[in-house]
Amino acid sequence: MAMVDVVVLVAGDGVNRAIPAMLLLLVVLLAGLLGGRLVALGVALVAAIGFAVLLPPIGSPRVEPAEDVAALVLFVAVAAIAGVLLSTIVLSDRRRLSAEQGTVEALLRVDHDRAALLRSVSHDLRTPLATIRAAATDLQGFDHDPAARTHLLDLVIDESERLDRIVGNLLSLSRIEAGALLPERQPVDLAELVAACAARLERATSKLTVEVRAAEGLPLVKVDYSQIDQVVANLLENAARHAPPGSVVVVDVERVGESVRLRVTDQGPGFDPSVRGRLFEPFASATGSGSSGIGLAICKAVVDAHGGTIAADDAPDGGARITVEVPIDG
Amino acid sequence: MAEADVVLIDDDASLASVLAVGFESRGYDLRIAATGGEGLREIERREPDVVILDLGLPDIDGIDVCRHLRQRTTSPIIVLSADGAEDRKVRALDEGADDYLTKPFSMPELLARVRVAVRHRRALAAVAHDEVLSVGDLAVDTAAHEVALAGRPVELTPKEYALLMLLVRNVGKVLTHRAILDQVWGPDQPLDTLRTHVSHLRRKLGGGAGAPQLVTAPGVGYRLLAPGDVVS
C-alpha cells in the first residue's frame, strides 16, 4: 500500500520521479534490515533530502507546488515506517533464533555428555566381560589341566565381582544425578569397615600389599555403611590400577578433631598433573584403558553427602594420596 | 618348536592371563606387553608370527602403535577393540592392521583368527616371487593375467581382475573400503562401484568347496579367505 501511495503522488510530476523514489525506499528498507531502527530513520530523512534536492536537474529544488511537499512528507513517513517495521521484525526474529540456538547448544551438550558416559560405561563393562567370555569359552572348548582350569575359573569369579562393583558404581551415579544419595546413617567402626573391605578385595588387589593402620580407640562414626564401603573399595581399586605390582598401599584410619580421617596412600606414579584439578569429576581420568573414572566422582558425592571432605595430593615420597574426612556425629 | 610366537599388547592383566593359559596350553609362545612402548620393544627383540594389539592402551594410542608396528615388522596384526566404533577399526586397518576382533570375544574365535594370520603369513612368504598365486582352488597367473578355478578359466573384466589381485595378494587381511577403492579405482569413487564388483566377483568365483571366500567385514571392508579359513 505504502509504495503505491508514493508512486501515485510522485506520478503527478511525471513518472520519471517514481523510479528514484522507489530506489530510495529500497535503500531505507535495506538500512532497516541491516542497521536497525535508528539507522532506518536516519536514512529515511537523508533519502527525503536526496529526493528533493539531488534529483536531476541537480540543485534545482523540486519542492514547489503543494503536491510536491505532500509527496515529500508522505515519502518520509512511508520510508520511516517501513524501515522501522522491518528492522523490528528482523530484530525479534534474531532474538528468537539466538534463544533457540542456546537451547540447541544446551541439548547438544547434554547429548555429548551422555554419549561420553555411554562410551566409557560400555568400555568399563566390556573389559571384565572380555576376560569372562574368553575364559568361559576356553573352558568349554578345551580340555585344560586342573591347575589351568582353576586359574581360569578364578579369573571368571574375580572379573564378575569387578563387574558387580562397576554396576554398583553406576547405580550410585544415577542416584547422585537424581539427587537421591541420602546416607542411611548408623554407628560404624571405620577400622573394621576398612579391614572387611580390604579382605573382600584381596584378590582384586592381589598384586599389592594392603596395609591397614587403624589408630587405637577410634570412636564409632555415624555413616552409611555400604556407601562408605564403596568409597574405600573405589580407592583401593584405584590404587591397584595405578600402583606397581609388589608395592604397598597403606590405609590410615585416625581421629582428627571431630572427624575420622581415612587416608589411602600408594607407591604409584602419583596423579597425572593434567587431570589433577578434575580428579573428582566423572570421566576425568578416562584414558585409553582401565576405568571411565566415575569411581572418584562417586567417592566425592558420597563424602559430600556425609558432610565430609575428600582431597587428593602426592605423598611425600611420590605416590598418590587420597584423604577422606567424615564427621563423627554425621 | 612352538606352534607360533605371538605378542599380546594389552594392559588388562586379567585378559592377558586368560590368553596366556589358552595359548600356552595349545603350544603357542605368548609374550605379553602391558603398554604400547613395551610392545614395540618386544617386537624389536624378536619378530613374532602374530601381534594381538588392544587399541586402548595407557601410554600410546593403539592406532599409533599400529603404525609404528607396521614400520618395523610385517607380522600380521590382529586388533582388539573394546568399543564398537567402526572408525577406529577402519583407521587401524588403514594403518596396517590385518584383522580385528571386538571385545568381548570367544577364545575359539581369537585362536581361529590367529591360525588364519599365521597360515597366510607363511603362505605369502612362500609365494612372494611366484608368478602363479593360488588360494584354495583359485589360481591367478599374474604374468598372463589369467584366472582359473579348479583348472577352469574364469573370465574377469580388468577391474574385477585388479580387485581380485589386490585381495589375493592380501589374502586373510581385512581391506577397508577406502583402501580397495583407492588402489583399484583411484580416489573419489563411490562405495557402490566396489559393491557391484564384489557381487560380480563372488558370482564368478562361486561358492564351491575349493573356492576362496570373499567375506564381508560389516561396515569396514572385505577380505579373501582360503576355503576352510572362514571364521565367524
Side-chain angles (χ1 to χ4, degrees), chain A:
Chain A
M1 274 308 285
M3 290 192 204
V4 175
D5 288 347
V6 175
V7 174
V8 170
L9 282 163
V10 296
D13 199 28
V15 182
N16 63 330
R17 282 226 223 151
I19 294 169
M22 296 296 252
L23 273 176
L24 287 167
L25 188 61
L26 193 66
V27 172
V28 176
L29 287 176
L30 274 177
L33 190 66
L34 301 172
R37 277 175 237 177
L38 285 178
V39 178
L41 273 176
V43 173
L45 281 173
V46 174
I49 295 165
F51 184 56
V53 180
L54 297 178
L55 285 176
I58 292 171
S60 79
R62 299 258 160 200
V63 194
E64 285 167 10
E67 303 96 79
D68 274 6
V69 176
L72 190 63
V73 170
L74 258 173
F75 175 80
V76 173
V78 168
I81 290 168
V84 168
L85 271 181
L86 187 63
S87 74
T88 309
I89 293 167
V90 168
L91 202 68
S92 80
D93 235 29
R94 261 189 217 143
R95 273 201 202 113
R96 192 171 48 78
L97 269 179
S98 84
E100 275 172 12
Q101 207 170 356
T103 318
V104 168
E105 271 165 18
L107 284 174
L108 281 177
R109 221 170 15 249
V110 170
D111 221 38
H112 181 265
D113 287 354
R114 285 213 182 285
L117 173 77
L118 282 175
R119 236 189 345 268
S120 57
V121 164
S122 58
H123 178 273
D124 265 19
L125 295 175
R126 272 191 173 140
T127 304
L129 269 182
T131 300
I132 293 171
R133 183 153 181 217
T137 52
D138 200 20
L139 280 165
Q140 190 186 43
F142 190 82
D143 193 15
H144 283 289
D145 63 54
R149 282 179 69 84
T150 309
H151 183 65
L152 289 175
L153 284 170
D154 281 347
L155 284 165
V156 169
I157 294 165
D158 291 349
E159 292 305 287
S160 53
E161 281 170 2
R162 182 165 149 203
L163 208 48
D164 186 48
R165 284 194 296 276
I166 295 170
V167 173
N169 272 341
L170 287 173
L171 286 174
S172 299
L173 191 70
S174 71
R175 270 187 217 118
I176 293 164
E177 291 204 328
L181 191 81
L182 297 172
E184 277 179 39
R185 293 172 192 272
Q186 52 175 316
V188 170
D189 181 339
L190 275 187
E192 210 177 275
L193 181 151
V194 171
C197 185
R200 201 178 70 246
L201 286 174
E202 201 181 330
R203 294 173 52 84
T205 56
S206 59
K207 62 170 191 167
L208 306 168
T209 307
V210 178
E211 213 179 291
V212 181
R213 294 181 192 156
E216 290 289 316
L218 281 172
L220 295 180
V221 185
K222 276 193 180 161
V223 293
D224 183 313
Y225 187 96
S226 58
Q227 286 182 7
I228 296 296
D229 180 71
Q230 196 175 18
V231 169
V232 177
N234 280 340
L235 296 181
L236 287 177
E237 224 180 348
N238 232 28
R241 204 158 38 233
H242 298 293
S247 63
V248 179
V249 174
V250 177
V251 188
D252 289 300
V253 191
E254 57 197 326
R255 181 177 183 153
V256 178
E258 287 311 299
S259 298
V260 168
R261 182 165 77 191
L262 272 170
R263 182 172 258 176
V264 179
T265 312
D266 69 30
Q267 295 175 328
F271 294 106
D272 181 346
S274 70
V275 292
R276 197 181 195 141
R278 300 177 291 121
L279 269 179
F280 297 109
E281 291 171 19
F283 319 122
S285 62
T287 49
S289 67
S291 148
S292 61
I294 59 173
L296 284 180
I298 285 161
C299 291
K300 173 154 175 57
V302 168
V303 172
D304 283 351
H306 280 80
T309 58
I310 184 165
D313 62 355
D314 284 340
D317 49 357
R321 181 168 70 177
I322 293 191
T323 307
V324 171
E325 283 184 24
V326 279
I328 293 167
D329 288 326

Side-chain angles (χ1 to χ4, degrees), chain B residues 5-11 15-16 19-20 23 28-35 39 43 48-55 57 65-66 69 75-81 99-101 103 105 107 109-115 117-118:
Chain B
D5 177 26
V6 180
V7 166
L8 169 71
I9 310 177
D10 193 323
D11 67 322
L15 183 66
L19 298 195
F23 277 82
Y28 289 88
D29 271 345
L30 186 72
R31 290 184 274 154
I32 297 169
T35 62
I43 271 99
D49 294 306
V50 181
V51 180
I52 303 172
L53 168 68
D54 182 37
L55 284 184
L57 293 168
V65 177
C66 207
L69 280 174
S75 306
I77 304 169
I78 300 173
V79 161
L80 303 179
S81 70
D99 200 354
Y100 64 87
L101 211 51
K103 286 182 178 177
F105 50 82
M107 197 67 179
E109 206 178 347
L110 176 63
L111 286 162
R113 303 287 179 108
V114 169
R115 274 197 301 273
V118 171

